[in-house]
Amino acid sequence: MKNRVLISVFALLAMPMTAVATDKDLLISEVHVVETSGWPTGLDIIGNNLCQANATGIELANMPSALFFDSCIEDPATGLDLMTATLASGLDAGSYLLVIDASKKSKKSKKKSSKSRNFSSSKIDEFEFTYGVMGPQGIQGDTGLTGAVGPQGIQGETGAKGDQGLQGNQGVPGMSIVGPTGLTGAAGAAGAPGAAGAPGAPGSDGAPGAMGPQGEPNYYPMTVAARNARYASYTASGIEVNGGFVTRDVDTGSSVAVKFNWNYNAAVSGCAGCVWQLYVGFEGQASTCIVNAGGGTQSGAFDGTLTAPATPGTYNIKILRTWQFSCNTSTMQTGGSDAATAGVVTVR
């Protein structure tokens, strides 16, 4: 049985320490840990102006020999730079500080970076990232204290004066005996309102509110193309997902554009005269057969669409080679015969 290689790409996002940069400043915005056969082997670093001055001054803080520069290119679709680097001996689960110093002189690839750093320059940036498993959602905090009572509003204008009441009747003159008291006259007009009183003291704090409902699952909002996918008998290059190699997440059931060039070398396949097929599709979903041919070395290109899965989550896009008599759009095999990962898509 042939050896099979499954390449998985996992992206972990952290908040950078430098949040604002000018058009010419170096800025790290994302770091992705690349795994090969379940082992961390490198970093994909995305940001602004990473490739200026051959930005090879790259290291993990306090680990000067752990990281080696590979390459740096600009993505024409997004305008962002993608720098790739190789890990010398993998990573343990934990937090790491990545430093890129573009002010250093250009050095050859895979040479360890200098320990000295000068963070006053706009050509230097650092980025803290975590490699490991994400923890559960935390409990919602208590409701904050009630704010102070606002100031007294402006007093309204005085209303118009009412009409004079009628005078009461004259009492009947008494004789030698004093007669009864006459009727009380109508009340006079109301006086003007008094001055406003001082504001009352603030009320006591209200009781804490009830805990809110559980939030929606947090899916990584990113779609990443693998750039190149390889198995012993074929290669796929220039891979793009939705027009680039770093794009946003997609909706369930939506169309996902996939584009790549392929080359099949029958001489190294182990079966030079066999009829072979190439498929592309989401892992665990129905696949698309893109070529069905006999032996010999051949090449071509695929430019089409796949339908995103109906359930939110993170899915691998697989390229699969089989030896059959004709195409069979069966479900893509998980780590199946001659399968390689072309990208990772987050479905929301």
Side-chain angles (χ1 to χ4, degrees):
M1 181 177 291
K2 290 178 158 299
N3 293 329
R4 299 177 176 87
V5 179
L6 176 61
I7 303 174
S8 300
V9 179
F10 296 92
L12 295 129
L13 184 62
M15 289 299 294
M17 299 182 67
T18 302
V20 178
T22 67
D23 291 340
K24 297 182 179 180
D25 286 347
L26 188 149
L27 175 64
I28 307 170
S29 51
E30 299 175 21
V31 173
H32 306 272
V33 178
V34 179
E35 292 187 350
T36 301
S37 298
W39 180 257
T41 57
L43 297 181
D44 282 354
I45 307 161
I46 300 172
N48 297 97
N49 303 308
L50 300 184
C51 297
Q52 64 179 340
N54 295 316
T56 56
I58 175 173
E59 69 176 16
L60 295 178
N62 300 321
M63 300 174 65
S65 300
L67 193 63
F68 301 99
F69 170 82
D70 281 332
S71 65
C72 188
I73 60 174
E74 180 181 352
D75 180 12
T78 62
L80 298 176
D81 288 350
L82 172 65
M83 179 179 288
T84 61
T86 298
L87 290 167
S89 58
L91 289 176
D92 293 329
S95 296
Y96 298 88
L97 183 64
L98 172 68
V99 179
I100 296 181
D101 185 351
S103 65
K104 295 180 181 179
K105 294 182 179 180
S106 175
K107 299 180 292 184
K108 292 183 178 180
S109 299
K110 297 197 174 181
K111 299 294 184 180
K112 69 177 182 179
S113 57
S114 171
K115 292 182 180 180
S116 60
R117 302 194 297 274
N118 176 11
F119 293 106
S120 62
S121 170
S122 62
K123 294 181 177 292
I124 303 173
D125 195 17
E126 62 180 18
F127 189 102
E128 184 175 1
F129 68 95
T130 299
Y131 176 65
V133 180
M134 180 180 294
Q137 172 75 28
I139 298 176
Q140 177 176 322
D142 295 335
T143 302
L145 300 177
T146 303
V149 177
Q152 177 70 34
I154 300 174
Q155 180 176 319
E157 298 180 357
T158 303
K161 184 177 180 180
D163 295 335
Q164 175 68 38
L166 299 175
Q167 182 174 343
N169 296 327
Q170 178 68 38
V172 177
M175 300 174 60
S176 59
I177 300 173
V178 177
T181 302
L183 300 175
T184 302
S204 58
D205 296 339
M211 181 183 297
Q214 175 68 35
E216 293 294 328
N218 183 18
Y219 299 111
Y220 180 68
M222 185 65 63
T223 294
V224 181
R227 303 188 309 279
N228 298 297
R230 179 185 297 274
Y231 191 80
S233 59
Y234 70 90
T235 58
S237 60
I239 302 173
E240 294 183 4
V241 179
N242 280 341
F245 59 84
V246 179
T247 54
R248 298 295 301 175
D249 52 357
V250 302
D251 293 328
T252 56
S254 63
S255 293
V256 179
V258 179
K259 180 180 180 181
F260 59 86
N261 300 315
W262 59 266
N263 179 272
Y264 179 77
N265 187 348
V268 298
S269 67
C271 187
C274 288
V275 177
W276 54 272
Q277 299 81 33
L278 282 182
Y279 300 86
V280 63
F282 285 101
E283 186 173 3
Q285 307 290 322
S287 59
T288 297
C289 184
I290 62 176
V291 62
N292 178 53
T297 298
Q298 299 189 41
S299 61
F302 175 74
D303 187 355
T305 60
L306 304 176
T307 300
T311 303
T314 301
Y315 296 86
N316 292 328
I317 295 178
K318 290 285 191 176
I319 299 175
L320 175 68
R321 195 242 35 211
T322 61
W323 287 328
Q324 303 292 336
F325 291 108
S326 61
C327 289
N328 178 10
T329 56
S330 61
T331 300
M332 294 292 290
Q333 301 179 43
T334 302
S337 173
D338 296 344
T341 299
V344 177
V345 176
T346 299
V347 180
R348 60 184 177 186

